Amino acid sequence: MTKRALAIVLVIATSFVSFGCNKSTTDTLLPDQKTLLISFDGFRYDYLNKVDTPHFDSLVAGGVQSEGLIPVFPSKTFPNHYSIATGLYPENTGFIGNTMYDPKWDEWYRIRDREAVENGKWYGGEPIWNTLEKQGVRTGTMFWVGSEADIQDMYPTYWKPYDADMRLRARIDTVIKWMTMPAGKDVDFATLYYSYVDTKGHRYGIQSDSLKNAIRLSDELVGYLKMRMKEKGIWGKTNILIVSDHGMVNQAADKIISLDKIIKMNDVERVLWGPMTMIQPAEEKSEKVYQALKAAENNYKVYKKEELPERYHLKNHRRVEDIVMVADLGYTILDEDYKQQFLNSLPRATHGYDNKNKEMQALFLARGPAFKTGSTVAAFQNIHIYELINHLMGTTPAQNDGAIDSVRVLLN
């Protein structure tokens, strides 16, 4: 019996209880199905309407698309990619931002700090590649948040450290090589990741020709992927999920909140900047800082950590600072000393805002033997994708916040 078949038998024979989710079922699965998860970072839910996208359109016609993919809050890259991988909210993964401070360890995590990025201690929960590997399913990750780290002292069977300069088609070629190696070495689950749509959106804005060209390039890559998979005979037996982590909204020079005009900066120990700004007041200054922010509350909302809305699923982790500001859509919180520098190099668009805003929703579409064809479904939360992949692979999920019933509408 192959490892793949053994994993399916074990799943059928094993009961599973988790919080907020149901056991994946295997009644529609075929033993030789593969799954490919692809992320186009910063690809907003409505970007396919901006230009002609014949290859995306072909996938939609032969598969299923949602009206949006709802990110976790904050609507940032690392928290969302890792929540997709684990099915957990940020307060359960510990990923509460692209940059974060851990008071227990007195250490910082920054996305450009390779030592931190590759250190598994920062990553809570169990990512999908670990779940599958534990059950005998080989995996390969061509860039995904967490896949470079020794989470649970494990790695995927094949993985690559992130290299922004790796050629776009070469990423596809490498993944297809992994998926079509001789039996016993090939992978049944793989990931792909591209960042350039996000980069062009930030730099030039969501109405720019540069962004439209990035969307066209994404479409060309989808066409290339289809061609290569057909050449290798795996197109018809692969379930392909194309996702993004968040949407995007334009910024403006007149939508600035100067934090140091509201509070005295020597009353705070730390500020983690962004559309969601976290503030750690100096000792015994917490109430003073909060009351000043509350009195000036305009174009933002301010919360004490313990009063954060439950729907954020954020407050129950030590890495969240004592006071949290959430800017209104399109507004930027910054220090007055940095204002001119910010204006001189004004990013044209950004994200990180309240995930209830439609503008923060991302792309989701899927096609393959497990999925409906020619269907459109309502937007759903990205935490359910972990459960969905386990269903497709016939494996038992680890504890997570998602539910297969929330995405069963996608399936045949």
Side-chain angles (χ1 to χ4, degrees):
M1 182 179 291
T2 66
K3 284 186 176 181
R4 168 73 169 162
L6 177 60
I8 294 175
V9 171
L10 287 173
V11 170
I12 295 173
T14 303
S15 62
F16 175 75
V17 179
S18 68
F19 60 87
C21 61
N22 295 318
K23 176 182 177 292
S24 286
T25 58
T26 59
D27 53 339
T28 62
L29 298 175
L30 298 175
D32 61 347
Q33 283 188 25
K34 295 177 182 286
T35 298
L36 177 59
L37 174 64
I38 307 170
S39 172
F40 289 99
D41 196 319
F43 204 113
R44 210 170 87 164
Y45 76 97
D46 57 351
Y47 277 2
L48 294 182
N49 298 326
K50 285 185 172 291
V51 298
D52 290 335
T53 52
H55 298 298
F56 276 115
D57 294 347
S58 176
L59 288 186
V60 171
V64 58
Q65 181 180 19
S66 72
E67 294 174 344
L69 186 63
I70 302 169
V72 297
F73 180 75
S75 49
K76 288 288 191 178
T77 294
F78 271 50
N80 276 278
H81 276 100
Y82 198 59
S83 284
I84 290 171
T86 61
L88 292 168
Y89 291 115
E91 65 184 2
N92 292 325
T93 64
F95 253 89
I96 53 86
N98 288 346
T99 299
M100 52 192 179
Y101 172 77
D102 193 296
K104 180 180 178 181
W105 303 333
D106 189 24
E107 294 178 29
W108 286 87
Y109 182 103
R110 297 179 176 90
I111 61 177
R112 290 178 178 82
D113 179 347
R114 296 306 304 169
E115 183 177 351
V117 166
E118 295 173 7
N119 191 334
K121 76 177 185 179
W122 286 96
Y123 301 81
E126 181 172 290
I128 185 64
W129 49 88
N130 280 13
T131 301
L132 298 179
E133 293 278 353
K134 286 179 179 180
Q135 298 176 60
V137 180
R138 288 176 298 277
T139 66
T141 55
M142 178 57 71
F143 312 151
W144 200 275
V145 173
S147 65
E148 304 163 86
D150 55 340
I151 302 169
Q152 301 174 330
D153 297 320
M154 293 181 66
Y155 291 95
T157 299
Y158 306 107
W159 60 279
K160 292 281 188 180
Y162 183 65
D163 179 6
D165 295 326
M166 184 175 185
R167 296 179 66 180
L168 304 183
R169 291 193 174 193
R171 303 181 192 189
I172 293 173
D173 292 337
T174 301
V175 166
I176 291 178
K177 178 182 177 181
W178 292 342
M179 297 176 75
T180 57
M181 294 178 77
K185 294 184 178 180
D186 62 321
V187 306
D188 288 320
F189 170 81
T191 72
L192 276 165
Y193 170 79
Y194 294 104
S195 64
Y196 57 87
V197 173
D198 181 74
T199 299
K200 297 301 183 183
H202 278 297
R203 189 171 300 170
Y204 300 109
I206 65 173
Q207 304 300 335
S208 65
D209 289 339
S210 294
L211 176 65
K212 292 176 182 177
N213 287 335
I215 298 169
R216 293 186 182 99
L217 176 56
S218 301
D219 190 67
E220 292 172 6
L221 287 173
V222 169
Y224 179 74
L225 172 72
K226 181 178 180 179
M227 178 190 73
R228 295 286 287 118
M229 293 183 77
K230 283 189 170 184
E231 287 176 354
K232 293 295 185 177
I234 58 172
W235 175 255
K237 65 178 182 180
T238 302
N239 291 303
I240 300 172
L241 291 75
I242 297 182
V243 305
S244 186
D245 47 351
H246 54 72
M248 190 79 73
V249 67
N250 280 343
Q251 293 183 284
D254 61 349
K255 292 185 176 181
I256 292 175
I257 300 163
S258 298
L259 185 60
D260 52 343
K261 286 188 174 181
I262 304 172
I263 62 173
K264 294 180 179 179
M265 298 306 290
N266 59 4
D267 284 343
V268 302
E269 292 180 3
R270 285 185 303 279
V271 178
L272 279 69
W273 300 99
M276 182 195 75
T277 294
M278 297 197 298
I279 302 168
Q280 185 57 43
E283 189 174 356
E284 299 180 353
K285 298 288 187 179
S286 185
E287 190 63 25
K288 176 184 176 182
V289 171
Y290 172 77
Q291 291 300 334
L293 291 166
K294 193 67 178 176
E297 196 172 44
N298 187 33
N299 299 318
Y300 67 85
K301 295 289 188 296
V302 62
Y303 304 97
K304 295 179 181 179
K305 176 179 178 177
E306 63 272 17
E307 296 173 350
L308 280 166
E310 292 294 336
R311 64 183 180 83
Y312 287 164
H313 299 282
L314 193 67
K315 65 184 177 183
N316 294 315
H317 201 281
R318 66 178 184 266
R319 294 173 191 160
V320 178
E321 307 290 4
D322 285 354
I323 295 175
V324 177
M325 297 173 67
V326 181
D328 290 352
L329 195 67
Y331 279 82
T332 302
I333 302 168
L334 50 69
D335 190 313
E336 187 72 12
D337 291 342
Y338 177 65
K339 181 177 179 178
Q340 194 56 52
Q341 181 182 346
F342 174 80
L343 292 176
N344 289 342
S345 59
L346 179 68
R348 301 305 179 193
T350 196
H351 50 92
Y353 298 98
D354 193 323
N355 58 348
K356 74 178 181 182
N357 291 300
K358 186 67 176 178
E359 292 86 347
M360 292 298 101
Q361 290 188 15
L363 176 73
F364 177 89
L365 59 91
R367 63 84 54 205
F371 291 103
K372 291 179 178 177
T373 58
S375 297
T376 300
V377 302
F380 60 89
Q381 296 180 72
N382 65 15
I383 58 162
H384 302 306
I385 292 174
Y386 172 82
E387 279 273 328
L388 176 61
I389 293 172
N390 275 282
H391 173 86
L392 296 174
M393 302 306 300
T395 46
T396 300
Q399 287 190 339
N400 67 93
D401 298 315
I404 186 62
D405 285 345
S406 293
V407 287
R408 202 178 293 277
V409 67
L410 301 167
L411 301 167
N412 285 324

